[in-house]
Amino acid sequence: MALGRTSPRDLPLFADLSGKDIRDIFRAGEEVSVPAGWSLILEQTPPDAAYLILSGTAAVRVKGEEIAELGPGDIAGEVGVRKNTLRTATVTAKSRLQLLHFTREKFDDLTKRLPDFREAIDATIAERRGGA
């Protein structure tokens, strides 16, 4: 498992997870690199994957308006995959990104097998939706 410049212990999403759970998560994903300007998620498309940002920054846009910036430790695409809804935003690399790519199937498997991971993802979704 290549982690680029980021250690899993540096990622807030994993703060309450065991070392075994973190290893399982990194084994389930595939590390990929995307260049600046690449859109990894497009608004109103089917949810086929989720991404954990290991390094770099990405812009989150809704109807063309930037509403957030994501960086190392942030996850993208989790809302659509977890809630089985069309993508709620477009996510575009502002710089070169190192990502951990999870297919929908792998992401679903992780949320079923790892309760602490599921709780962390659901808390992230609730926070992004304003507690919804």
Side-chain angles (χ1 to χ4, degrees), residues 13-14 32 34 38-42 46-54 56-61 68-82 87-93 97-104 107 117 120-121 124-125 128:
L13 184 66
F14 298 134
V32 296
V34 299
W38 182 274
S39 292
L40 44 139
I41 293 172
L42 297 173
D48 61 343
Y51 301 88
L52 174 67
I53 298 175
L54 300 175
T57 57
V60 179
R61 291 185 177 89
E69 183 174 285
L70 302 177
D74 289 324
I75 195 151
E78 79 290 351
V79 173
V81 172
R82 188 84 176 102
R87 301 297 193 175
T88 58
T90 295
V91 179
T92 304
L97 292 175
Q98 284 297 117
L99 305 164
L100 201 57
H101 168 268
F102 300 97
T103 63
R104 180 186 184 113
F107 193 83
F117 179 71
I121 295 300
T124 299
I125 291 170
R128 289 183 178 170

Side-chain angles (χ1 to χ4, degrees), residues 10-124:
D10 294 335
L11 305 176
L13 184 66
F14 298 134
D16 297 327
L17 300 180
S18 71
K20 180 192 178 307
D21 285 354
I22 293 170
R23 283 189 300 277
D24 286 350
I25 292 163
F26 274 78
R27 284 185 189 124
E30 178 183 352
E31 191 170 341
V32 296
S33 234
V34 299
W38 182 274
S39 292
L40 44 139
I41 293 172
L42 297 173
E43 194 171 358
Q44 296 300 307
T45 61
D48 61 343
Y51 301 88
L52 174 67
I53 298 175
L54 300 175
S55 67
T57 57
V60 179
R61 291 185 177 89
V62 174
K63 297 180 183 169
E65 180 183 338
E66 186 169 334
I67 61 163
E69 183 174 285
L70 302 177
D74 289 324
I75 195 151
E78 79 290 351
V79 173
V81 172
R82 188 84 176 102
K83 301 293 185 183
N84 195 31
T85 60
L86 292 178
R87 301 297 193 175
T88 58
T90 295
V91 179
T92 304
K94 290 179 104 173
S95 67
R96 181 170 197 77
L97 292 175
Q98 284 297 117
L99 305 164
L100 201 57
H101 168 268
F102 300 97
T103 63
R104 180 186 184 113
E105 295 76 19
K106 294 280 187 179
F107 193 83
D108 286 344
D109 178 63
L110 288 171
T111 59
K112 287 176 186 155
R113 287 190 305 108
L114 306 175
D116 290 337
F117 179 71
R118 179 179 59 248
E119 289 172 17
I121 295 300
D122 289 347
T124 299

